[in-house]
Amino acid sequence: MNSSSTSIYDPKNPGHMKTFTFDLAYWSHSGFLKDKHGMLVSAGSNSRYAGQREVFRDLGQGVLDNAWQGYNATLLAYGQTGSGKSYSMIGYGANRGIIPVVCEELFKPIQNQKNKQYQVTFSMLEIYNEQVIDLLSETKKPGGLKVREDQQQGFYVDGLKLVPCDSCAQIERLMEQGTKIRTTASTSMNATSSRSHMVITIQFKQIFLDEDITKESIINLVDLAGSERQKSSGSEGDRLREGTRVNLSLTTLGNVISALAEVAMGKKVLHIPYRDSVLTKLLQSALGGNSRTIMIAAVSPADICYEETLSTLRYAERTKKIKNKAVINASPMEKHIMELKAENNKLLSRLTGLGNSGKTVADETKQLRCLLAENELRIRTIQLTWEYRLEEARKEWEQQYAAITQERRMMETFPYLLNINEDPQLSGVLKHFIQDGLCDVGQSASNAITLRGLGILDKHATFTNTEGKVTITPREKCKVVVNGVPITMKTKLQHLDRVLLGSNSAYLYVGFPVERTNEDLIRYDYDFFQSELAAAEGFSVDKLGVVNNKDGKPDPSVLAVFHDYIKLMPLVAEANQMSEELKKEFKLELKVKNLASSDSRGYDLQKEVLVKVTNKMTNQVWMWSKAKFINRKFLMEEVYQHFLDGEDVYVGQDSDPFWDPVEVIHLGSAHIWLQSLAYCMKLEEQTEVLNSEGMEEAILLINIVPCSSDGRAFGEDDMVIDPLELLGRRIDFQIHILQCLGVKWLREVTERGIQIGYRVYDLPHSLYTKPVWKNMNAKIEETVHFSALNASHEFLNYLQKNALIVDLWGLQEGCAELDYSLQDMVTSEGTIIVDNPKTVIAKDIGLGTANQISELYLKLLKLEEETELLRDINRALREENVFLKDKLKKWETGHHESKKLKSPDKRAIKMTKQPLSSKEADQLCNHRTSYDADFAKALKVFYQNMNLVRGQFLKLKHSKPPVCMIFMQFSKMRTRPLL
């Protein structure tokens, strides 16, 4: 990044770079130091770091200048959750963002002006699921506030609280109040701020008393929801619609921006969809009308966020094409006063005229005087309204200030619970004080601490504060977790303990003042809580296992999986709680796909977080992707909200977010290494089928038999010493699956079934066995004949270095069975052709010119494989050469010594020089054949042992750590004595 451009590299293809140009580009990821005030500043002249001061100087000051000139101004923050949107807008600690600094700088000139009157009103709202929530109002209106339209002022929120302000401190208190309400609402509504939009509106009116001129500006400061919600939480591959209306506003905003960008480029656009969402209605003038608008596009430099970052940059590139036409605004209210005054002057002129004419028009005079008095009253009402509203706001502010003062005094006396939220802006906002004696906590209003949230009961737990000690006692069947460990008995709390109540209400316990230190509480964030929970369950980055050998650090893809896991943990807990309260009888749990699985060459497969869903009544099982689960979670929340509102929550099965049609489940896989086939040796294997966690799912009995074209099994005489002997020749073999023993899937529920699938070399799709139902020791007894008509280097290399992956699939009652038909693949000879050149040619033709780079890459891989094969052959030949030389030396030495011992005469020597008889030659040949057979037998034993060792190695590689290691992890945690 430099002053105006941003370049992004694809981590999977570093040579692929895209560059985007904007008005300004800031780097804030590194190159900074913290000064004595806690501000992050540039580390030196060579640093590219841009702090909050620089951002405000370039952007925030422009918003202020526009407001002073009478223009409407809008600042939008767009980007992925965690990329810095809220930090740029609100800030954190000493690093204040644009919004608080704009408010502070706005009031500085006001205090020094004497010939002007200023009116500043403040409002703060949140848009979640297309509902508008007033963050300055203590009362929540069911369904949210309504958005209405007026011919003069356009779209507005009916009933939104507009608070007059006369100081920056007052606005700061209002923002704190709004943040508290937002935090409480996010807990009770089961929503996070990353899914909602926050809109702060400052109406700034300047009244020039001498000139009787008014300038009015509306400043919109908008922190948009996380942009990744549009895709990663979408309904991709889901039978149900996209989760509620959470994403509607962002999607519509994108459509509006695209339409406006096309208009700016001179294209004809029939419709701009402002009315399709609440957000775009309220921002209509900001997006394509009377406003000077700035967009901040926050991006992450992490390679795992490449797709989201690229999407954000493209979004911003479209936005910069939009052209607005802003004008200086005149207040309708002041115009009305001027019109009333002008009308009064006319009335006075008419009254004067009537008096001078001497006419007796008493009735008309009376009517005119009434109109004049009415207009004067309306003028005084308009003018007095501001002072009255300001006074009322001051009284409310004084009450809030008194409450804040009281809270600070209690912080110096009592221990308390500090809320921890997924959004850092909402963490540390709520404080629940634990006063002397017993202190009940729960949803009931009679409790000393009233908490709302999923899984919190009316009487959830009791805190006891006696003799300088605080304990917590859970009520029966109430979930309480301390430092990642669930508790059921009275437990003593210590300073900075982590307390989880219900499914996901997280709090940091702050002890008595004497216990407190200067330790920074920032490290106890939401991810800390979830990581601690995951560690208590035995899940960590170490368990995922892949370490980059270059620097010893975990692979970025592994960190991404761990990040997904701890992000989904609270969501799964919430979904389980909703299932319980809605009496759905579904259990959800997190799984890691390919946690202990490897490909055909033994390399670890790409890991992915899945959600396993089990119907506790029917034992039916589903596996949901992360995207599908998040989509369903939105739909679950919608049903649950109806439940909380006392509405009917019945939905049909097809619309039930907890249910899906029954599907086939992948249970595990086994690796059958194929080296023996490369030497034309029969392989009889009894191997474990391991699930994704490396645990045994079943025992598979399988034979791989080299054979002739007519199916006759080869014997020892048909074995080859060097696989290259098979190059260009026809290779036939049969895969015979005999039985699957001790299937755990069927042990759990006997009504289930299984199928086995595998894919050999270049076959277009997997082959499946016939289904077997209700048999834990399923007999398969299926044989398939394969033929390679002209064995290639690649195929021989495949046999020597790869394994046949055999997958075990679980069938459930009502699910569709996997297609086990082979009609389209079997030739007239009854075989299936592998190593087919036509397949390669067809693939090459289909690639086209657009994939030339991919073709070159494949060719390069092919050449590397061939080179590796030649190296192996060369290495084997050298070893064989050395072996033969040693044998020859030993033979010559032994022969020389035997000559000395026997002292043969010249006649004997001459006889040895004569050629061997045919009988002797046959005997020598037979001896050599027997040696080759012995060697082949030894080779067979060797490869069978190698297969066994390789299987044991893979099992050991993916096995769980010993109990002592797990104990060590727990021993590192802080433990609490039970009282």
Side-chain angles (χ1 to χ4, degrees):
M1 299 182 80
N2 55 41
S3 60
S4 62
S5 69
T6 300
S7 298
I8 181 171
Y9 298 83
D10 186 348
K12 297 179 181 178
N13 186 8
H16 189 217
M17 180 185 74
K18 291 182 180 293
T19 300
F20 300 85
T21 303
F22 304 104
D23 297 310
L24 294 163
Y26 300 99
W27 176 264
S28 57
H29 181 64
S30 60
F32 57 84
L33 298 172
K34 185 182 287 188
D35 66 11
K36 61 180 181 180
H37 304 294
M39 284 282 293
L40 301 180
V41 297
S42 175
S45 57
N46 296 327
S47 173
R48 299 178 293 163
Y49 178 75
Q52 298 283 54
R53 291 175 182 171
E54 290 78 13
V55 174
F56 174 78
R57 180 193 63 207
D58 296 339
L59 302 180
Q61 190 61 51
V63 171
L64 276 177
D65 293 343
N66 290 329
W68 279 102
Q69 294 171 33
Y71 292 103
N72 292 336
T74 301
L75 182 62
L76 301 165
Y78 178 89
Q80 181 184 3
T81 299
S83 59
K85 295 185 289 84
S86 299
Y87 178 78
S88 300
M89 296 295 282
I90 306 294
Y92 190 84
N95 300 277
R96 297 195 302 163
I98 292 174
I99 293 176
V101 179
V102 161
C103 296
E104 180 182 359
E105 295 297 322
L106 180 65
F107 280 99
K108 282 183 179 179
I110 289 177
Q111 298 169 356
N112 302 323
Q113 298 288 344
K114 295 182 180 180
N115 60 340
K116 296 181 184 178
Q117 181 182 351
Y118 298 96
Q119 297 179 2
V120 178
T121 59
F122 180 89
S123 68
M124 188 175 181
L125 64 86
E126 181 180 46
I127 302 172
Y128 174 75
N129 201 18
E130 289 302 283
Q131 292 186 8
V132 178
I133 303 163
D134 190 348
L135 295 178
L136 299 183
S137 175
E138 296 287 348
T139 58
K140 180 197 169 189
K141 187 176 179 181
L145 302 178
K146 302 299 180 185
V147 176
R148 306 193 186 281
E149 187 175 12
D150 181 79
Q151 289 185 350
Q152 291 185 345
Q153 66 181 111
F155 289 105
Y156 68 98
V157 179
D158 187 20
L160 183 67
K161 189 173 183 179
L162 303 175
V163 182
C165 301
D166 59 358
S167 69
C168 176
Q170 193 174 356
I171 287 185
E172 288 179 352
R173 297 289 84 79
L174 288 171
M175 287 181 64
E176 289 180 8
Q177 176 191 348
T179 305
K180 278 189 176 182
I181 293 174
R182 191 182 189 198
T183 305
T184 305
S186 72
T187 304
S188 60
M189 289 177 60
N190 193 37
T192 60
S193 63
S194 60
R195 303 183 215 161
S196 64
H197 315 284
M198 185 184 69
V199 181
I200 289 176
T201 302
I202 300 171
Q203 295 182 0
F204 177 49
K205 184 185 292 186
Q206 307 170 68
I207 304 172
F208 298 82
L209 301 176
D210 297 340
E211 305 173 20
D212 201 19
I213 297 174
T214 299
K215 289 182 179 179
E216 184 175 8
S217 174
I218 297 176
I219 306 172
N220 290 309
L221 304 168
V222 186
D223 187 2
L224 296 169
S227 60
E228 77 284 350
R229 300 288 170 178
Q230 294 183 84
K231 183 181 69 175
S232 62
S233 67
S235 53
E236 48 189 83
D238 197 351
R239 64 182 179 86
L240 296 182
R241 61 185 172 85
E242 187 172 338
T244 65
R245 296 169 291 173
V246 170
N247 298 326
L248 180 60
S249 287
L250 267 187
T251 304
T252 305
L253 180 62
N255 294 338
V256 168
I257 287 175
S258 296
L260 291 172
E262 290 183 0
V263 171
M265 293 187 292
K267 296 182 180 179
K268 186 177 180 180
V269 177
L270 298 176
H271 172 64
I272 298 175
Y274 290 114
R275 297 175 179 271
D276 289 358
S277 77
V278 169
L279 179 69
T280 48
K281 284 179 183 177
L282 297 179
L283 296 180
Q284 180 173 357
S285 62
L287 294 171
N290 180 22
S291 177
R292 291 185 171 177
T293 302
I294 300 170
M295 174 180 275
I296 296 176
V299 296
S300 169
D303 56 359
I304 61 174
C305 300
Y306 170 77
E307 295 295 338
E308 293 293 346
T309 298
L310 181 60
S311 175
T312 300
L313 292 171
R314 285 172 173 164
Y315 194 96
E317 189 176 42
R318 290 200 306 271
T319 306
K320 73 177 183 179
K321 298 174 183 176
I322 299 174
K323 297 178 181 179
N324 282 1
K325 296 180 180 179
V327 297
I328 295 175
N329 301 294
S331 171
M333 200 69 74
E334 294 300 321
K335 283 184 178 180
H336 188 42
I337 293 174
M338 292 171 66
E339 289 170 358
L340 289 173
K341 286 183 177 180
E343 187 177 346
N344 282 359
N345 290 333
K346 290 180 182 179
L347 291 172
L348 287 171
S349 300
R350 288 182 63 185
L351 283 172
T352 304
L354 288 173
N356 293 336
S357 64
K359 295 179 180 179
T360 57
V361 284
D363 293 340
E364 187 175 353
T365 303
K366 184 178 180 180
Q367 184 179 3
L368 289 174
R369 289 189 183 280
C370 287
L371 286 172
L372 184 63
E374 186 178 333
N375 284 347
E376 289 290 345
L377 179 62
R378 290 168 69 186
I379 291 171
R380 283 198 301 273
T381 302
I382 292 171
Q383 292 175 331
L384 290 174
T385 298
W386 173 253
E387 283 75 12
Y388 175 78
R389 290 171 61 200
L390 194 59
E391 185 61 30
E392 289 295 313
R394 284 198 188 104
K395 291 178 182 178
E396 188 176 341
W397 182 80
E398 288 172 0
Q399 293 175 357
Q400 293 175 5
Y401 185 76
I404 292 169
T405 305
Q406 174 68 13
E407 182 181 271
R408 287 174 179 169
R409 283 200 296 266
M410 294 186 72
M411 287 174 62
E412 297 172 356
T413 308
F414 300 107
Y416 57 90
L417 299 175
L418 192 68
N419 81 295
I420 303 298
N421 195 281
E422 181 182 2
D423 184 353
Q425 303 293 334
L426 304 185
S427 284
V429 173
L430 304 177
K431 299 177 183 67
H432 301 290
F433 294 95
I434 304 172
Q435 301 188 43
D436 295 337
L438 298 178
C439 185
D440 290 334
V441 59
Q443 297 228 22
S444 175
S446 62
N447 294 319
I449 299 176
T450 303
L451 296 180
R452 302 194 182 279
L454 269 171
I456 295 181
L457 303 184
D458 288 343
K459 297 288 184 181
H460 197 86
T462 300
F463 289 94
T464 305
N465 181 357
T466 56
E467 299 179 356
K469 296 179 182 179
V470 173
T471 61
I472 180 173
T473 307
R475 295 295 181 96
E476 187 178 357
K477 296 182 179 180
C478 293
K479 181 182 176 183
V480 177
V481 177
V482 177
N483 298 335
V485 181
I487 64 168
T488 55
M489 302 172 64
K490 181 185 286 188
T491 303
K492 181 183 176 183
L493 295 179
Q494 294 187 13
H495 180 53
L496 300 183
D497 275 352
R498 283 77 60 201
V499 180
L500 196 70
L501 303 174
S503 63
N504 194 34
S505 296
Y507 296 92
L508 184 67
Y509 170 73
V510 179
F512 292 92
V514 294
E515 298 179 274
R516 300 170 198 170
T517 62
N518 295 325
E519 183 179 359
D520 192 357
L521 304 184
I522 193 172
R523 79 183 189 95
Y524 298 104
D525 59 5
Y526 190 77
D527 284 351
F528 184 96
F529 275 63
Q530 301 306 323
S531 299
E532 188 173 53
L533 276 174
E537 295 175 5
F539 186 83
S540 64
V541 176
D542 295 335
K543 184 177 180 180
L544 292 174
V546 181
V547 176
N548 191 332
N549 294 325
K550 294 180 180 179
D551 52 13
K553 297 179 180 179
D555 188 276
S557 62
V558 173
L559 291 177
V561 171
F562 181 74
H563 178 79
D564 285 344
Y565 191 94
I566 64 172
K567 287 295 182 185
L568 290 181
M569 278 181 63
L571 302 185
V572 169
E574 292 166 3
N576 279 321
Q577 186 62 40
M578 286 188 283
S579 172
E580 183 178 336
E581 294 188 31
L582 294 171
K583 295 181 172 54
K584 289 291 184 180
E585 299 297 334
F586 282 84
K587 178 187 177 183
L588 291 83
E589 51 188 322
L590 283 173
K591 298 290 181 181
V592 179
K593 182 180 179 181
N594 299 326
L595 177 62
S597 302
S598 56
D599 63 11
S600 64
R601 301 194 68 174
Y603 298 126
D604 287 334
L605 292 170
Q606 184 73 31
K607 296 171 176 59
E608 176 188 352
V609 179
L610 300 176
V611 178
K612 180 182 179 181
V613 184
T614 306
N615 185 325
K616 293 187 284 187
M617 299 293 290
T618 65
N619 290 312
Q620 291 174 329
V621 177
W622 297 266
M623 298 299 291
W624 288 351
S625 66
K626 171 190 169 185
K628 184 173 184 177
F629 165 70
I630 292 176
N631 181 53
R632 293 302 181 89
K633 174 70 165 40
F634 289 151
L635 295 169
M636 293 174 194
E637 289 173 11
E638 191 174 74
V639 175
Y640 185 72
Q641 192 60 48
H642 292 318
F643 169 74
L644 294 180
D645 295 339
E647 301 174 13
D648 183 16
V649 294
Y650 173 78
V651 291
Q653 192 178 64
D654 291 341
S655 302
D656 190 346
F658 289 91
W659 183 86
D660 252 350
V662 186
E663 58 188 27
V664 179
I665 302 298
H666 183 260
L667 303 178
S669 57
H671 286 59
I672 313 299
W673 296 94
L674 301 172
Q675 295 103 323
S676 60
L677 192 58
Y679 294 88
C680 292
M681 293 186 297
K682 180 179 179 181
L683 175 66
E684 297 176 347
E685 191 75 72
Q686 178 176 314
T687 186
E688 294 174 320
V689 178
L690 303 178
N691 61 22
S692 63
E693 296 179 354
M695 305 300 292
E696 181 185 304
E697 193 69 31
I699 299 292
L700 178 68
L701 274 62
I702 182 172
N703 294 341
I704 300 180
V705 184
C707 62
S708 62
S709 59
D710 58 1
R712 179 185 59 83
F714 282 169
E716 294 179 353
D717 293 341
D718 298 301
M719 290 184 279
V720 298
I721 296 175
D722 188 347
L724 284 178
E725 295 180 31
L726 302 175
L727 182 64
R729 289 170 50 186
R730 173 167 177 160
I731 300 177
D732 287 87
F733 59 95
Q734 294 177 345
I735 295 179
H736 181 197
I737 299 177
L738 292 82
Q739 198 170 3
C740 200
L741 304 174
V743 182
K744 185 179 176 183
W745 172 254
L746 288 156
R747 196 184 308 153
E748 294 171 351
V749 180
T750 56
E751 300 300 315
R752 293 170 172 170
I754 62 163
Q755 280 183 275
I756 293 175
Y758 57 92
R759 182 179 176 184
V760 179
Y761 192 46
D762 59 355
L763 291 181
H765 54 76
S766 297
L767 308 179
Y768 298 99
T769 62
K770 294 178 181 179
V772 179
W773 294 85
K774 304 178 184 180
N775 191 346
M776 190 174 68
N777 297 312
K779 290 186 177 181
I780 310 296
E781 291 296 344
E782 290 194 19
T783 302
V784 181
H785 189 143
F786 298 89
S787 299
L789 302 179
N790 188 3
S792 62
H793 275 292
E794 293 82 359
F795 182 61
L796 294 175
N797 191 44
Y798 164 79
L799 293 179
Q800 293 180 84
K801 295 186 177 181
N802 290 62
L804 178 70
I805 306 296
V806 180
D807 293 308
L808 179 62
W809 294 90
L811 304 177
Q812 308 179 74
E813 189 174 357
C815 75
E817 298 173 347
L818 299 169
D819 183 13
Y820 54 88
S821 172
L822 303 178
Q823 293 179 356
D824 297 337
M825 304 182 68
V826 178
T827 66
S828 58
E829 295 181 0
T831 67
I832 295 177
I833 303 299
V834 295
D835 193 19
N836 189 351
K838 293 181 180 178
T839 307
V840 180
I841 295 170
K843 288 180 181 177
D844 291 340
I845 294 172
L847 288 173
T849 55
N851 293 327
Q852 289 180 358
I853 296 176
S854 299
E855 288 181 358
L856 291 172
Y857 180 69
L858 290 172
K859 288 179 181 179
L860 180 62
L861 287 178
K862 190 174 178 181
L863 286 172
E864 288 178 351
E865 289 177 356
E866 291 179 354
T867 304
E868 186 64 28
L869 179 62
L870 290 172
R871 285 174 180 168
D872 291 342
I873 295 170
N874 185 36
R875 194 180 300 112
L877 289 173
R878 286 189 178 187
E879 290 173 356
E880 186 178 358
N881 189 24
V882 171
F883 174 79
L884 292 173
K885 283 183 178 180
D886 291 339
K887 280 285 188 183
L888 183 61
K889 284 183 180 179
K890 289 180 181 179
W891 182 84
E892 288 178 349
T893 303
H895 185 66
H896 183 67
E897 290 176 355
S898 64
K899 279 173 63 179
K900 287 182 178 180
L901 290 172
K902 293 181 179 180
S903 301
D905 55 16
K906 292 181 180 179
R907 183 174 174 273
I909 293 172
K910 287 180 180 178
M911 287 178 65
T912 58
K913 291 181 181 179
Q914 293 177 359
L916 293 173
S917 66
S918 59
K919 185 176 181 181
E920 291 173 337
D922 290 340
Q923 290 177 350
L924 184 61
C925 184
N926 289 335
H927 283 305
R928 180 173 179 178
T929 303
S930 65
Y931 295 153
D932 290 345
D934 291 340
F935 178 71
K937 288 178 182 177
L939 198 62
K940 178 180 179 180
V941 173
F942 169 74
Y943 278 111
Q944 286 176 341
N945 291 335
M946 180 180 286
N947 285 336
L948 182 64
V949 171
R950 192 191 295 266
Q952 291 175 346
F953 171 74
L954 286 173
K955 183 178 178 182
L956 182 65
K957 178 182 177 183
H958 299 303
S959 64
K960 291 187 175 180
V963 177
C964 60
M965 293 177 66
I966 298 175
F967 176 78
M968 289 171 64
Q969 289 183 355
F970 274 90
S971 66
K972 293 179 182 178
M973 301 180 191
R974 184 185 300 173
T975 56
R976 298 287 169 267
L978 298 176
L979 302 180

